[in-house]
Amino acid sequence: MDNSRKITLSESEIPTHWYNIVHDMPNKPLPPLNPGTGEPIGPEALMPLFPMELIKQEVSQEKYIEIPDQVRDVYSMWRPTPMFRARNLEKMLDTPAKIYYKFEGVSPSGSHKPNTAVPQAYYNAQEGVKRITTETGAGQWGSALSFACQMFGIECDVHMVRISFDQKPYRKMMMQTWGANVYPSPSERTEAGRQVLAKDPDTPGSLGIAISEAVEGAAMSETTKYSLGSVLNHVLMHQTVIGLESIKQLEKAGADLPDYVFAPFGGGSNFAGISFPFVHLNLTEGKNIQCIASEPTSAPKLTRGVFRYDFGDTVGMTPLIPMYTLGHDFVPAKIHAGGLRYHGAGAIVSQLLADGLIGAEAIDQIESFEAGVMFARAEGIVPAPEANHAIASVIRAANAAKEAGESKTILFNMCGHGNFDMLAYQDYFAGNLEKHEMTQEEVDAAVAKIESPTIDSVKEMLANMG
Ligand SMILES: *Cc1c(COP(=O)(O)O)cnc(C)c1O
């Protein structure tokens, strides 16, 4: 038994392949639909927006997809990421549970997001793309993509939600440092932006509007494409380097396979990243590892939403995706974990949840900040507000292990550091955060607005189409 606190791997142990869970899923994710015709969309519909290789990955059922050498080379700037045994936290909780965490905050932009930003920029560069457009809320995704585009000599246009552009300047400056063009959204540069500004010149903006502007920017030019940092199948697959490394690290530490794997959940990418290689062991080797997503009580799509077809964005411009959702025009309360303020979940994680192969629980933001502060005082690292939700789940599980007198092994994903999120901590310490839980009336009203097809009706249509 290895007693070390920090479990590291050498550069040569960076995974050579991403794991594509679709290969092993008993029920494959249902196809996206064209909202106009209600019929499945083919890969060609995505060609104006994404490079061919990413479209292939989006629909692939191959079990492993090779990571290009140039991508592994950029990964080696921070990967393999360290795993830690949270010994101080275990002591503080006086729990018999063993707690391990994988720390993705060592990446240049401070979260897991470069794991997909780097291959996305690489495939775009390979296919001659000169510029990538995207949207960003508080700036985690925009900064990851800005860094990745800089690595491959691509221009990057980031449409940043106006209110964050004004109130959270540090990530904007980070993006500019990596050479990106950052525009407050809505802007005068796009038709979508001009329309919104004509009606409401002082609008704070929204992620939905920013997506419209970024998509419009990509559709305008052959050599400009669009990029998304969560939800899509290829994004989730790129993140599996987290879980693949974790399995090696637990082995190296002489640890048991975990009883629980926790990660915070926005659209599902970092949860998929750490958990899918463990779900793989459940599906192929009969293991019983419980993989549980921690979502906020103010956007509880997994625990209280419905499994329906719905739009990926607020305005209704994307294809319809089979997802656990609270409705695409549901606007979550303004909690500080900005990365978790999203109405839906990716198609793969949604299917796995429907089939009982993963689990979910909801955490309110007060419990999450209590957990995050406790973690910082024990382990030193100040977590991103998103990560605090998973830490709260870990503490619940560790306390349950103590009560039951059982020594459980727990792994969670520390998906990012919180060094740019000090305003959130300030609000927590000042007592300005509220416990926020949706009422059943609010959930019912949000879900009642969904008009798109049900999962069953689409299954029936597909069966009739043969
Ligand atoms: C974007 C983000 C999330 C949420 O997105 P997922 O796709 O669910 O991982 C969570 N944590 C951090 C730090 C993020 O930047």
Side-chain angles (χ1 to χ4, degrees):
M1 181 72 203
D2 180 351
N3 276 326
S4 53
R5 191 189 286 273
K6 180 152 126 247
I7 307 137
T8 55
L9 299 172
S10 68
E11 263 176 51
S12 64
E13 291 171 289
I14 295 172
T16 55
H17 294 73
W18 293 296
Y19 168 56
N20 181 12
I21 198 169
V22 178
H23 176 89
D24 295 314
M25 287 170 72
N27 296 313
K28 308 300 177 199
L30 292 164
L33 301 181
N34 177 326
T37 64
E39 286 177 3
I41 61 161
E44 65 291 342
L46 300 173
M47 281 168 60
L49 292 182
F50 302 107
M52 208 53 223
E53 181 56 33
L54 290 176
I55 296 173
K56 278 193 205 147
Q57 291 181 6
E58 187 63 20
V59 297
S60 171
Q61 296 201 7
E62 241 175 278
K63 183 159 183 168
Y64 292 103
I65 292 182
E66 189 167 8
I67 305 177
D69 283 344
Q70 290 101 312
V71 171
R72 290 183 79 232
D73 184 50
V74 178
Y75 276 173
S76 74
M77 293 166 79
W78 74 96
R79 304 210 71 84
T81 58
M83 175 179 283
F84 295 88
R85 170 100 183 257
R87 291 183 185 281
N88 298 359
L89 182 65
E90 289 171 15
K91 259 191 220 120
M92 210 179 256
L93 292 168
D94 187 27
T95 176
K98 300 188 181 78
I99 304 174
Y100 294 87
Y101 66 96
K102 182 76 164 154
F103 186 40
E104 290 295 307
V106 294
S107 81
S109 65
S111 80
H112 63 285
K113 290 213 167 70
N115 296 334
T116 185
V118 169
Q120 289 196 47
Y122 167 79
Y123 292 119
N124 274 287
Q126 285 297 100
E127 296 182 30
V129 172
K130 302 283 181 246
R131 182 183 299 273
I132 299 180
T133 64
T134 199
E135 70 284 339
T136 200
Q140 279 279 16
W141 170 240
S143 48
L145 190 67
S146 303
F147 157 71
C149 284
Q150 180 57 228
M151 290 298 106
F152 294 104
I154 298 179
E155 290 280 324
C156 185
D157 289 353
V158 182
H159 295 272
M160 185 173 192
V161 176
R162 171 98 233 179
I163 183 132
S164 301
F165 185 92
D166 293 336
Q167 292 181 354
K168 299 190 173 171
Y170 296 119
R171 285 208 171 266
K172 171 176 74 191
M173 289 164 199
M174 205 174 178
M175 293 184 250
Q176 288 165 341
T177 304
W178 281 317
N181 311 301
V182 189
Y183 304 103
S185 170
S187 73
E188 292 285 348
R189 305 179 69 238
T190 63
E191 185 51 40
R194 285 191 293 274
Q195 272 181 22
V196 176
L197 286 173
K199 273 190 223 144
D200 183 5
D202 296 323
T203 173
S206 74
L207 215 44
I209 299 166
I211 293 176
S212 307
E213 290 201 275
V215 168
E216 187 182 322
M220 279 186 310
S221 155
E222 283 269 302
T223 56
T224 302
K225 300 273 184 208
Y226 168 73
S227 170
L228 204 64
S230 185
V231 180
L232 297 179
N233 300 353
H234 65 269
V235 177
L236 272 53
M237 185 186 71
H238 295 157
Q239 294 293 352
T240 57
V241 289
I242 304 172
L244 292 167
E245 288 177 3
S246 297
I247 289 176
K248 280 192 202 168
Q249 283 162 309
L250 288 171
E251 222 172 85
K252 197 168 166 182
D256 296 330
L257 279 173
D259 297 289
Y260 299 104
V261 177
F262 292 104
F265 196 99
S269 76
N270 90 87
F271 170 76
I274 195 158
S275 70
F276 284 3
F278 291 97
V279 178
H280 175 229
L281 299 179
N282 291 343
L283 291 172
T284 62
E285 294 182 22
K287 304 291 184 204
N288 181 25
I289 302 160
Q290 293 197 50
C291 298
I292 298 168
S294 304
E295 64 178 6
T297 51
S298 46
K301 60 252 180 181
L302 299 176
T303 51
R304 301 175 73 192
V306 287
F307 189 29
R308 278 287 289 266
Y309 269 89
D310 200 3
F311 292 103
D313 65 327
T314 314
V315 234
M317 288 183 48
T318 69
L320 291 166
I321 301 167
M323 51 161 60
Y324 273 90
T325 177
L326 292 161
H328 64 277
D329 54 8
F330 166 73
V331 181
K334 282 202 175 72
I335 60 162
H336 269 300
L340 309 185
R341 291 185 67 235
Y342 184 66
H343 67 275
I348 294 177
V349 273
S350 293
Q351 187 64 53
L352 290 170
L353 183 68
D355 291 340
L357 298 172
I358 59 171
E361 67 184 13
I363 304 279
D364 83 75
Q365 64 173 346
I366 301 289
E367 183 179 348
S368 84
F369 272 94
E370 281 167 5
V373 169
M374 184 177 196
F375 181 88
R377 290 178 182 176
E379 298 293 321
I381 298 165
V382 179
E386 291 86 356
N388 289 346
H389 292 74
I391 298 170
S393 291
V394 168
I395 292 174
R396 286 185 184 183
N399 286 337
K402 180 181 175 181
E403 239 158 71
E406 291 172 345
S407 170
K408 299 285 187 188
T409 299
I410 301 171
L411 171 68
F412 76 97
N413 196 28
M414 256 288 280
C415 54
H417 67 66
N419 297 3
F420 292 99
D421 301 291
M422 284 302 128
L423 262 177
Y425 281 86
Q426 179 185 317
D427 280 347
Y428 168 68
F429 289 125
N432 292 340
L433 295 190
E434 279 170 28
K435 188 173 159 132
H436 185 274
E437 184 151 358
M438 287 179 77
T439 65
Q440 194 54 45
E441 288 73 42
E442 285 171 328
V443 173
D444 292 344
V447 163
K449 282 201 256 172
I450 306 173
E451 288 169 352
S452 36
T454 62
I455 298 292
D456 284 343
S457 71
V458 173
K459 277 190 186 157
E460 203 178 305
M461 173 187 76
L462 293 172
N464 290 337
M465 285 168 71

